[in-house]
Amino acid sequence: MTKENKKNRKISFHPQISKTPTGINGLDEITGGGIPTSRPTLICGEAGCGKTLLSLEFIVRGAMEFDEPGVFMAFEEKAAELTMNAGSLGFDLEQLQKEKKLKIDYVHIDRSEIQETGEFDLDGLFIRLGYAIDSIGAKRVVLDTIENLFSSLTNEAILRAELRRLFHWLKEKGVTAIITGERGDGRSLTRQGLEEYVSDCVILLDHRVINQISTRRLRIVKYRGSEHGTNEYPFLIDQDGISVLPVTSLKLEKEVSTERVSSGIPALDKMLGGKGFFKGGSVLVSGTAGTGKTSIAACFANEICNKKNRCLYFAFEESPKQIIRNMRSINMDLQKHVDKGLLQFMASRPTLHGLEQHLVAMHKLIKVFKPQAVILDPITNLITVGSVSEVKAMLIRLIDFLQEEQITVLFTALTLNTVVTEQTDEGVSSLVDAWLLVRDIEFNGERNRGMYIMKSRGMKHSNQVREFIITDKGIDLVEVYLGPDGVLTGSAREAQKLQERTGEILRNNAMGMKDREVLRKKKVLEAKIASLQSEFESAEEELNKIYIEEELVKKVTESNRQQILQRRRDDNEQNGGKGKN
């Protein structure tokens, strides 16, 4: 292929399938924009999995958010029942019908009447549905459920033909349709086993109950002409309708921040290079019961709120009032942050939902509250509703989501001397960016708390063990104190300090005495030196006296000898002179 052909291939336009957004949280992300426009979509599942609700929300969202009127043709529930059911989700179907944005048509099919006539086809349905569509200019249609429509038809050949005719009619009508169907037996998705083949998009809903915990899941089985998510996605039905969790990030391409957020404990920030955690990072605080994990988490929440940021606190063990009361005992007022709307608690027992539904609920709350920090306290309790690997998988998805949103998350984990919990701790700790360990230190007949940083990715951090103190003034970390037997804590540390202080005083006193003794000895020695100097001077003078005397004697003797010699020479000269005369 030439370069020009390659270039033309790159810029060539390929028509793609048009999609209609459902308006349902998360579903449009999974489907890449919605369900196929002007084509039928099959939603199948067992009783109670949410088929009717999903299709009803599709119609209501279309009318309210996309200005696309819709027709809801029900074969099971009457219009009044549907209106009442939708009211619990905040949807006013009566008002929508008055505004001609919605038309609910209940069709009652009586088997005895069909048997009497002897024939069955969908012509009547097409006329009725066509009238409803034309009366409000509907763009969306729901048929709920298709089994009721064909329940009286025993001839399989006719049934299949009518099914195909229904799907083709909907396509020709140009409406985006959802058809609900009941889950079939065996490997078939529907009872007839044909609907999934003639539909352009098939969504399977599932409602599982494992260990008395129910979880609803959604999977896109088929989507002609479009890419789509293929995993099972948990979804939640609450007062706001359906929320599907689309978190399935497999690529590690998230943006990271170099901005730091304080832990709320200055000494801990100092251990973390002086600035605290990375914004958007994940932090795990693990330790045994009573080591102050919740206090550390509350301290972090307090710091976030003090800076006018929002924090979302998921509590799985204590109620919000318990946490607020307990934190007051360490001089921390969380109630003021709650009153200002900066701090929101979400407290529930883990057994309230399955793991996936917990994840969906968290995802939804985070999207609504838009916090800068999230706290989960403690994640260990989640083991009661799932295995270790399931909890880990859930937390991976949560961390991925929070990293994308640049939200800092802090987990607390209880450490026990059981294999299961140890595994959980290790499994989660490998995911997080920073891991703080709080441990009991039993020494000298008392129990104290010690903290150290096991890891903190991307920053210089202390490797020392610090004593973790909780007082009525707050939380603090005491500087490392090393005694002869290692790190000392509590009263042992205070005793060692007193002992060292006493030793210093005694040592100073001894040094003073030594100095005074040295001074005295110096004076004695100086006196001795002065005395010796005098003796030396006396001896020197004595020695000099003898030397001078000897010199004088020598000089006088020499002088006398010279005088004697002179006299002799004078006498000889005189005597010589007389002899000559």
Side-chain angles (χ1 to χ4, degrees), residues 35-49:
I35 59 176
T37 302
S38 304
R39 297 187 184 187
T41 294
L42 175 67
I43 295 178
C44 53
E46 299 167 348
C49 62

Side-chain angles (χ1 to χ4, degrees), residues 497-513:
K497 279 185 176 180
L498 286 173
Q499 187 177 351
E500 289 191 1
R501 199 172 300 141
T502 305
E504 186 177 354
I505 292 171
L506 292 174
R507 189 164 53 253
N508 290 337
N509 185 49
M511 290 296 292
M513 292 176 67

Side-chain angles (χ1 to χ4, degrees), residues 44-63:
C44 53
E46 299 167 348
C49 62
K51 300 184 295 297
T52 301
L53 192 60
L54 191 147
S55 55
L56 184 61
E57 187 168 348
F58 163 71
I59 289 287
V60 174
R61 297 280 181 198

Side-chain angles (χ1 to χ4, degrees), residues 18-23 27-37 201 223 226:
S18 177
K19 296 186 178 183
T20 297
T22 62
L27 183 57
D28 293 336
E29 295 179 48
I30 296 169
T31 55
I35 59 176
T37 302
C201 177
Y223 199 137
S226 172

Side-chain angles (χ1 to χ4, degrees), residues 14 52 91 99 153 202 216 221 278 287 290 345 347 385 402 534:
H14 300 284
T52 301
F91 299 144
E99 295 173 358
L153 202 57
V202 178
R216 289 186 172 91
V221 181
F278 277 123
F345 283 96
V385 290
L402 294 174
S534 298

Side-chain angles (χ1 to χ4, degrees), residues 86 89 110 135 236 322 352 423 425 539:
L89 304 178
D110 192 337
S135 64
L236 183 69
Q322 271 183 295
L352 179 65
Q423 285 178 348
D425 201 27

